[in-house]
Amino acid sequence: MSNILVTGGAGYIGSHAVKLFLERGHHVWVYDSLVYGHRAAVPADRLIVGDLNEPHRIDQVLLEKRIDACVHFAAFTYVGESVTNPAKYYQNNLVNTLNLMECLRKQKVARFIFSSTAATYGMPETMPITEATPQVPINPYGASKLAVERALADYAHAYQWGFAALRYFNASGAHPDGTIGEDHTPETHLIPLIILAAMGKRPQIEIFGTDYPTPDGTCVRDYIHVCDLAEAHLLALEKLQPGQQMHYNLGIGRGYSVREVIAAVEAVTGKKVPIKEGPRRAGDPPVLVASSDKIQKELGWKPRYSDIKAIVETAWNWHKAHPKGYKDK
Ligand code: UDP
């Protein structure tokens, strides 16, 4: 049993991890600014509202709660915004993370799980993407995450930190019990946007590009269920040894096109989704599919959700029960 500090634990992926860690008997403290996170996404008695730019607060929490591991989700994640406002991304995702790492180092907390991303790979030429694929990010979001990965490698070497950099592909779905799910403002992710269009809350889903070199002309992505992501964090945390560096891709190893995801939403909801075919979105590679063989072999992780319909089903349950997201809770 660990005393785990979960930064960004009131966010989409963080809240699913927090729920799992609590179920498995860990002591969890969520540190979240609530800028993007939701108070209702975590148990009230676990939440500490604070920003990562407040190292004194972090020091105090580490000491008072006798934290012995940190799972760091807190970050800004809008790729497009990172291009127009890189300062915001380097400041929060890199500088604030380095500050957090320093607080942890001073208090000898040497187990760290880091939310990294497929965006660190940029536009790889060969699929599937393995951990050995060169990391060449093409936007500040991916670059800020890769910079942290590099710093972590140096901390592991110099200070005997054990860390896991988990490179997520497309996080999706919601907790099967319907209590927590995806609620972003603004929402930019494909599955919730299609569901909102199916519910009539948006006029249509715009397909960003129909002329890609893919079987149906639309982009292909690897959608991984958020609960499977949460499991991977716990496994990594439980197996980390001092000085150990873990780098793992997290996807299901199968891609779905935008049109296939729309079809899955129509099948699950029984509703027709209005479609608009639009131009490509800048910076979107045609295909991104992960190989997650490494984490499967080394940690025994296996995704429970390997089918897009099963994933969409959980997202649909969440949206049906909470049409206004966390405002309904
Ligand atoms: N996408 C789309 N219309 C939208 C939002 C997304 O066609 O309104 C496409 C996007 O081009 C990408 C896929 O859906 O190929 C997944 O996009 P998302 O923003 O959910 O995740 P990303 O892959 O950018 O991390």
mmCIF file of all heavy atoms in Angstrom, residues 259-287:
data_model
loop_
_atom_site.group_PDB
_atom_site.id
_atom_site.type_symbol
_atom_site.label_atom_id
_atom_site.label_comp_id
_atom_site.label_asym_id
_atom_site.label_seq_id
_atom_site.Cartn_x
_atom_site.Cartn_y
_atom_site.Cartn_z
ATOM 1 N N ARG A 259 -14.492 7.297 -39.880
ATOM 2 C CA ARG A 259 -15.793 6.766 -40.336
ATOM 3 C C ARG A 259 -16.192 5.518 -39.541
ATOM 4 O O ARG A 259 -17.375 5.322 -39.239
ATOM 5 C CB ARG A 259 -15.741 6.426 -41.831
ATOM 6 C CG ARG A 259 -15.696 7.646 -42.741
ATOM 7 C CD ARG A 259 -16.018 7.208 -44.179
ATOM 8 N NE ARG A 259 -15.481 8.111 -45.183
ATOM 9 C CZ ARG A 259 -16.052 9.267 -45.551
ATOM 10 N NH1 ARG A 259 -17.155 9.666 -44.978
ATOM 11 N NH2 ARG A 259 -15.500 10.015 -46.489
ATOM 12 N N GLU A 260 -15.223 4.684 -39.196
ATOM 13 C CA GLU A 260 -15.566 3.492 -38.395
ATOM 14 C C GLU A 260 -16.039 3.880 -36.994
ATOM 15 O O GLU A 260 -16.923 3.240 -36.425
ATOM 16 C CB GLU A 260 -14.347 2.568 -38.287
ATOM 17 C CG GLU A 260 -14.058 1.800 -39.567
ATOM 18 C CD GLU A 260 -12.779 0.965 -39.490
ATOM 19 O OE1 GLU A 260 -11.758 1.463 -38.955
ATOM 20 O OE2 GLU A 260 -12.801 -0.176 -39.974
ATOM 21 N N VAL A 261 -15.440 4.925 -36.442
ATOM 22 C CA VAL A 261 -15.865 5.362 -35.103
ATOM 23 C C VAL A 261 -17.285 5.938 -35.174
ATOM 24 O O VAL A 261 -18.121 5.658 -34.308
ATOM 25 C CB VAL A 261 -14.873 6.389 -34.506
ATOM 26 C CG1 VAL A 261 -15.340 6.854 -33.140
ATOM 27 C CG2 VAL A 261 -13.467 5.800 -34.398
ATOM 28 N N ILE A 262 -17.556 6.683 -36.240
ATOM 29 C CA ILE A 262 -18.919 7.218 -36.401
ATOM 30 C C ILE A 262 -19.922 6.060 -36.513
ATOM 31 O O ILE A 262 -20.981 6.065 -35.869
ATOM 32 C CB ILE A 262 -19.003 8.138 -37.648
ATOM 33 C CG1 ILE A 262 -18.141 9.389 -37.428
ATOM 34 C CG2 ILE A 262 -20.459 8.537 -37.933
ATOM 35 C CD1 ILE A 262 -17.954 10.264 -38.679
ATOM 36 N N ALA A 263 -19.556 5.039 -37.297
ATOM 37 C CA ALA A 263 -20.450 3.876 -37.453
ATOM 38 C C ALA A 263 -20.665 3.185 -36.110
ATOM 39 O O ALA A 263 -21.781 2.739 -35.802
ATOM 40 C CB ALA A 263 -19.865 2.897 -38.476
ATOM 41 N N ALA A 264 -19.619 3.106 -35.294
ATOM 42 C CA ALA A 264 -19.743 2.464 -33.981
ATOM 43 C C ALA A 264 -20.704 3.262 -33.097
ATOM 44 O O ALA A 264 -21.555 2.685 -32.404
ATOM 45 C CB ALA A 264 -18.370 2.357 -33.312
ATOM 46 N N VAL A 265 -20.609 4.586 -33.147
ATOM 47 C CA VAL A 265 -21.520 5.409 -32.332
ATOM 48 C C VAL A 265 -22.958 5.224 -32.827
ATOM 49 O O VAL A 265 -23.890 5.101 -32.016
ATOM 50 C CB VAL A 265 -21.114 6.908 -32.366
ATOM 51 C CG1 VAL A 265 -22.172 7.771 -31.686
ATOM 52 C CG2 VAL A 265 -19.759 7.111 -31.701
ATOM 53 N N GLU A 266 -23.136 5.161 -34.135
ATOM 54 C CA GLU A 266 -24.500 4.976 -34.658
ATOM 55 C C GLU A 266 -25.056 3.617 -34.220
ATOM 56 O O GLU A 266 -26.213 3.507 -33.823
ATOM 57 C CB GLU A 266 -24.501 5.097 -36.185
ATOM 58 C CG GLU A 266 -24.267 6.539 -36.641
ATOM 59 C CD GLU A 266 -24.367 6.742 -38.147
ATOM 60 O OE1 GLU A 266 -24.076 5.788 -38.911
ATOM 61 O OE2 GLU A 266 -24.709 7.875 -38.565
ATOM 62 N N ALA A 267 -24.195 2.582 -34.249
ATOM 63 C CA ALA A 267 -24.659 1.249 -33.859
ATOM 64 C C ALA A 267 -25.023 1.212 -32.372
ATOM 65 O O ALA A 267 -26.043 0.641 -31.982
ATOM 66 C CB ALA A 267 -23.574 0.212 -34.169
ATOM 67 N N VAL A 268 -24.203 1.842 -31.543
ATOM 68 C CA VAL A 268 -24.431 1.784 -30.092
ATOM 69 C C VAL A 268 -25.636 2.633 -29.689
ATOM 70 O O VAL A 268 -26.449 2.236 -28.862
ATOM 71 C CB VAL A 268 -23.151 2.243 -29.342
ATOM 72 C CG1 VAL A 268 -23.436 2.514 -27.882
ATOM 73 C CG2 VAL A 268 -22.048 1.201 -29.489
ATOM 74 N N THR A 269 -25.764 3.818 -30.294
ATOM 75 C CA THR A 269 -26.827 4.739 -29.856
ATOM 76 C C THR A 269 -28.136 4.507 -30.607
ATOM 77 O O THR A 269 -29.193 4.940 -30.158
ATOM 78 C CB THR A 269 -26.425 6.216 -30.098
ATOM 79 O OG1 THR A 269 -26.232 6.419 -31.502
ATOM 80 C CG2 THR A 269 -25.142 6.567 -29.359
ATOM 81 N N GLY A 270 -28.053 3.844 -31.754
ATOM 82 C CA GLY A 270 -29.252 3.676 -32.585
ATOM 83 C C GLY A 270 -29.665 4.980 -33.252
ATOM 84 O O GLY A 270 -30.784 5.106 -33.736
ATOM 85 N N LYS A 271 -28.772 5.967 -33.256
ATOM 86 C CA LYS A 271 -29.111 7.269 -33.853
ATOM 87 C C LYS A 271 -28.219 7.559 -35.055
ATOM 88 O O LYS A 271 -27.058 7.163 -35.069
ATOM 89 C CB LYS A 271 -28.918 8.385 -32.824
ATOM 90 C CG LYS A 271 -29.865 8.289 -31.629
ATOM 91 C CD LYS A 271 -29.484 9.314 -30.588
ATOM 92 C CE LYS A 271 -30.148 9.068 -29.250
ATOM 93 N NZ LYS A 271 -31.599 9.239 -29.250
ATOM 94 N N LYS A 272 -28.785 8.260 -36.017
ATOM 95 C CA LYS A 272 -28.019 8.671 -37.192
ATOM 96 C C LYS A 272 -27.210 9.922 -36.827
ATOM 97 O O LYS A 272 -27.735 10.848 -36.207
ATOM 98 C CB LYS A 272 -29.017 8.993 -38.318
ATOM 99 C CG LYS A 272 -28.388 9.226 -39.651
ATOM 100 C CD LYS A 272 -28.211 7.921 -40.451
ATOM 101 C CE LYS A 272 -27.269 8.163 -41.628
ATOM 102 N NZ LYS A 272 -26.161 7.215 -41.694
ATOM 103 N N VAL A 273 -25.941 9.912 -37.197
ATOM 104 C CA VAL A 273 -25.089 11.067 -36.872
ATOM 105 C C VAL A 273 -24.919 11.932 -38.123
ATOM 106 O O VAL A 273 -24.402 11.459 -39.139
ATOM 107 C CB VAL A 273 -23.704 10.595 -36.367
ATOM 108 C CG1 VAL A 273 -22.799 11.784 -36.104
ATOM 109 C CG2 VAL A 273 -23.842 9.731 -35.119
ATOM 110 N N PRO A 274 -25.337 13.206 -38.061
ATOM 111 C CA PRO A 274 -25.117 14.082 -39.223
ATOM 112 C C PRO A 274 -23.619 14.342 -39.427
ATOM 113 O O PRO A 274 -22.895 14.628 -38.467
ATOM 114 C CB PRO A 274 -25.831 15.388 -38.833
ATOM 115 C CG PRO A 274 -26.631 15.075 -37.605
ATOM 116 C CD PRO A 274 -26.001 13.888 -36.949
ATOM 117 N N ILE A 275 -23.197 14.223 -40.686
ATOM 118 C CA ILE A 275 -21.761 14.324 -41.014
ATOM 119 C C ILE A 275 -21.506 15.495 -41.948
ATOM 120 O O ILE A 275 -22.291 15.760 -42.852
ATOM 121 C CB ILE A 275 -21.306 13.021 -41.723
ATOM 122 C CG1 ILE A 275 -21.264 11.864 -40.738
ATOM 123 C CG2 ILE A 275 -19.946 13.199 -42.373
ATOM 124 C CD1 ILE A 275 -21.017 10.529 -41.411
ATOM 125 N N LYS A 276 -20.386 16.172 -41.705
ATOM 126 C CA LYS A 276 -19.914 17.162 -42.685
ATOM 127 C C LYS A 276 -18.485 16.772 -43.040
ATOM 128 O O LYS A 276 -17.659 16.570 -42.134
ATOM 129 C CB LYS A 276 -19.944 18.546 -42.046
ATOM 130 C CG LYS A 276 -19.436 19.640 -42.953
ATOM 131 C CD LYS A 276 -19.474 20.990 -42.252
ATOM 132 C CE LYS A 276 -18.663 22.005 -43.019
ATOM 133 N NZ LYS A 276 -18.293 23.137 -42.193
ATOM 134 N N GLU A 277 -18.200 16.653 -44.315
ATOM 135 C CA GLU A 277 -16.833 16.317 -44.710
ATOM 136 C C GLU A 277 -16.036 17.603 -44.855
ATOM 137 O O GLU A 277 -16.401 18.468 -45.649
ATOM 138 C CB GLU A 277 -16.844 15.503 -46.011
ATOM 139 C CG GLU A 277 -17.538 14.160 -45.822
ATOM 140 C CD GLU A 277 -17.398 13.231 -47.000
ATOM 141 O OE1 GLU A 277 -16.836 13.653 -48.039
ATOM 142 O OE2 GLU A 277 -17.850 12.075 -46.891
ATOM 143 N N GLY A 278 -14.991 17.742 -44.070
ATOM 144 C CA GLY A 278 -14.215 18.983 -44.077
ATOM 145 C C GLY A 278 -12.774 18.726 -44.482
ATOM 146 O O GLY A 278 -12.388 17.591 -44.796
ATOM 147 N N PRO A 279 -11.967 19.797 -44.483
ATOM 148 C CA PRO A 279 -10.561 19.643 -44.848
ATOM 149 C C PRO A 279 -9.756 18.973 -43.735
ATOM 150 O O PRO A 279 -10.237 18.840 -42.601
ATOM 151 C CB PRO A 279 -10.099 21.095 -45.038
ATOM 152 C CG PRO A 279 -11.033 21.911 -44.216
ATOM 153 C CD PRO A 279 -12.335 21.179 -44.166
ATOM 154 N N ARG A 280 -8.550 18.597 -44.070
ATOM 155 C CA ARG A 280 -7.638 18.014 -43.075
ATOM 156 C C ARG A 280 -7.359 19.015 -41.961
ATOM 157 O O ARG A 280 -7.347 20.223 -42.213
ATOM 158 C CB ARG A 280 -6.311 17.644 -43.735
ATOM 159 C CG ARG A 280 -6.422 16.521 -44.731
ATOM 160 C CD ARG A 280 -5.037 16.199 -45.275
ATOM 161 N NE ARG A 280 -5.075 15.084 -46.213
ATOM 162 C CZ ARG A 280 -4.000 14.428 -46.629
ATOM 163 N NH1 ARG A 280 -2.801 14.787 -46.198
ATOM 164 N NH2 ARG A 280 -4.093 13.409 -47.461
ATOM 165 N N ARG A 281 -7.107 18.524 -40.758
ATOM 166 C CA ARG A 281 -6.656 19.374 -39.654
ATOM 167 C C ARG A 281 -5.130 19.361 -39.684
ATOM 168 O O ARG A 281 -4.522 18.294 -39.813
ATOM 169 C CB ARG A 281 -7.181 18.778 -38.334
ATOM 170 C CG ARG A 281 -6.854 19.582 -37.103
ATOM 171 C CD ARG A 281 -7.558 19.025 -35.872
ATOM 172 N NE ARG A 281 -7.040 17.710 -35.459
ATOM 173 C CZ ARG A 281 -7.463 17.049 -34.380
ATOM 174 N NH1 ARG A 281 -8.419 17.556 -33.623
ATOM 175 N NH2 ARG A 281 -6.953 15.874 -34.079
ATOM 176 N N ALA A 282 -4.539 20.548 -39.556
ATOM 177 C CA ALA A 282 -3.068 20.633 -39.643
ATOM 178 C C ALA A 282 -2.420 19.724 -38.611
ATOM 179 O O ALA A 282 -2.867 19.659 -37.455
ATOM 180 C CB ALA A 282 -2.633 22.075 -39.409
ATOM 181 N N GLY A 283 -1.386 19.039 -39.042
ATOM 182 C CA GLY A 283 -0.596 18.243 -38.103
ATOM 183 C C GLY A 283 -1.146 16.857 -37.805
ATOM 184 O O GLY A 283 -0.618 16.164 -36.937
ATOM 185 N N ASP A 284 -2.215 16.437 -38.481
ATOM 186 C CA ASP A 284 -2.771 15.096 -38.236
ATOM 187 C C ASP A 284 -2.094 14.055 -39.128
ATOM 188 O O ASP A 284 -2.272 14.075 -40.351
ATOM 189 C CB ASP A 284 -4.275 15.078 -38.558
ATOM 190 C CG ASP A 284 -5.143 15.294 -37.335
ATOM 191 O OD1 ASP A 284 -4.631 15.155 -36.207
ATOM 192 O OD2 ASP A 284 -6.337 15.591 -37.513
ATOM 193 N N PRO A 285 -1.345 13.110 -38.558
ATOM 194 C CA PRO A 285 -0.822 12.026 -39.389
ATOM 195 C C PRO A 285 -1.966 11.115 -39.832
ATOM 196 O O PRO A 285 -2.972 11.010 -39.121
ATOM 197 C CB PRO A 285 0.117 11.259 -38.442
ATOM 198 C CG PRO A 285 0.228 12.084 -37.210
ATOM 199 C CD PRO A 285 -0.952 12.989 -37.161
ATOM 200 N N PRO A 286 -1.834 10.457 -41.000
ATOM 201 C CA PRO A 286 -2.927 9.595 -41.474
ATOM 202 C C PRO A 286 -3.245 8.440 -40.521
ATOM 203 O O PRO A 286 -4.403 8.149 -40.276
ATOM 204 C CB PRO A 286 -2.413 9.047 -42.812
ATOM 205 C CG PRO A 286 -1.139 9.746 -43.114
ATOM 206 C CD PRO A 286 -0.710 10.537 -41.936
ATOM 207 N N VAL A 287 -2.189 7.798 -40.015
ATOM 208 C CA VAL A 287 -2.397 6.606 -39.182
ATOM 209 C C VAL A 287 -1.487 6.674 -37.959
ATOM 210 O O VAL A 287 -0.298 6.977 -38.080
ATOM 211 C CB VAL A 287 -2.047 5.311 -39.974
ATOM 212 C CG1 VAL A 287 -2.266 4.078 -39.108
ATOM 213 C CG2 VAL A 287 -2.870 5.210 -41.249
#
